């Protein structure tokens, strides 16, 4: 009630409208939130624009409008190219809206990601069967943290998913030399 009242008093106030739409989204009222966003003045500056488009994208994703969510997250990412959260949300929506299998992602992830963030992106791409992108992310994560057993294992599985069996075998053999474990032997056998 308070947020609605604040927005009704100042309908030209971007922050009041944003907060009201955000709260409606959290209350599982994405259609109402979208109506508020449509009535809001356009944001000024990259920070507010990124917030605006990310919220619109989140609302579209909540309604399972994946293509719209992907497009809107891409717009938010254009204003905040260092945002890992926006990039990963954009890729998740893109994977839901279409198959990336065999295609390259046109927008690069933010610079200076951690090994863990590359691993998260690798898992995201692998879950969407975008194995080439998953391989790239797992490799970059392993470059930053060569001891990450999970990333190495998921890299092997991504090679398998991509049909690159010789690379999967090579990576699995290298992993077995460092960490002889039953699950790695089982993967090599498969």
């Amino acid at each position: 009630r308070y947020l609605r009242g604040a927005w009704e008093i100042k309908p030209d106030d971007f922050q009041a409208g944003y907060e009201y739409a955000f709260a409606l989204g959290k209350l599982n009222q994405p259609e109402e939130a979208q109506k508020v966003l449509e009535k809001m003045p356009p944001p000024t500056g990259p920070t507010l624009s990124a917030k605006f488009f990310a919220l619109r994208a989140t609302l579209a994703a909540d309604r399972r409008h994946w293509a719209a969510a992907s497009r809107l997250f891409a717009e938010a990412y254009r204003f905040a190219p260092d945002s890992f959260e926006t990039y990963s949300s954009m890729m998740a929506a893109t994977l839901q809206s279409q198959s990336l299998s065999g295609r390259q992602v046109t927008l690069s992830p933010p610079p200076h990601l951690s090994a863990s963030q590359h691993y998260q992106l690798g898992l995201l791409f692998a879950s969407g069967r975008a194995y080439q992108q998953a391989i790239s992310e797992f490799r970059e994560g392993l470059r930053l943290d060569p001891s990450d057993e999970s990333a190495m294992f998921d890299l092997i599985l991504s090679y398998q998913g991509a049909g690159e069996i010789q690379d999967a075998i090579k990576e699995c053999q290298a992993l077995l030399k460092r960490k002889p474990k039953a699950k790695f032997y089982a993967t090599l056998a498969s």
Side-chain angles (χ1 to χ4, degrees):
R1 244 183 243 186
Y2 171 77
L3 291 173
R4 182 178 65 206
W7 183 64
E8 288 173 352
I9 291 170
K10 289 186 151 191
D12 292 336
D13 182 345
F14 176 83
Q15 194 62 37
Y18 176 87
E19 295 297 334
Y20 181 40
F22 182 83
L24 287 169
K26 290 294 183 187
L27 293 170
N28 292 321
Q29 297 178 24
E31 291 84 11
E32 291 301 314
Q34 185 60 39
K35 288 177 188 175
V36 171
L37 290 174
E38 288 169 2
K39 293 177 184 176
M40 288 174 49
T44 58
T47 302
L48 293 180
S49 294
K51 284 176 63 173
F52 176 76
F53 285 109
L55 179 56
R56 286 189 63 201
T58 300
L59 294 170
D62 289 348
R63 294 187 323 263
R64 305 218 184 293
H65 297 166
W66 300 115
S70 176
R71 181 179 47 77
L72 290 163
F73 275 124
E75 192 65 23
Y77 188 62
R78 187 170 68 85
F79 288 106
D82 291 333
S83 173
F84 172 74
E85 182 178 304
T86 301
Y87 181 81
S88 60
S89 296
M90 176 182 61
M91 289 296 96
T94 301
L95 288 166
Q96 287 290 333
S97 71
Q98 64 189 357
S99 171
L100 287 178
S101 187
R103 286 191 252 159
Q104 289 291 79
V105 174
T106 56
L107 292 174
S108 299
H112 315 296
L113 295 182
S114 68
S116 173
Q117 289 170 320
H118 282 290
Y119 180 69
Q120 290 173 39
L121 287 175
L123 290 176
L124 176 67
F125 286 126
S127 72
R129 297 178 181 235
Y131 295 114
Q132 292 305 318
Q133 289 83 5
I135 289 167
S136 176
E137 293 301 329
F138 289 135
R139 283 205 154 298
E140 185 59 21
L142 286 164
R143 185 186 68 75
L144 297 170
D145 181 5
S147 67
D148 188 341
E149 221 174 88
S150 296
M152 180 58 81
F153 186 68
D154 287 319
L155 173 64
I156 293 165
L157 295 178
S158 292
Y159 274 128
Q160 283 181 322
E164 298 178 23
I165 304 305
Q166 292 305 314
D167 287 327
I169 290 170
K170 181 179 128 192
E171 295 292 344
C172 197
Q173 288 171 334
L175 181 59
L176 282 167
K177 286 180 183 174
R178 288 191 308 233
K179 299 273 186 177
K181 289 188 176 181
K183 79 175 185 176
F184 303 146
Y185 280 108
T187 301
L188 182 60
S190 68

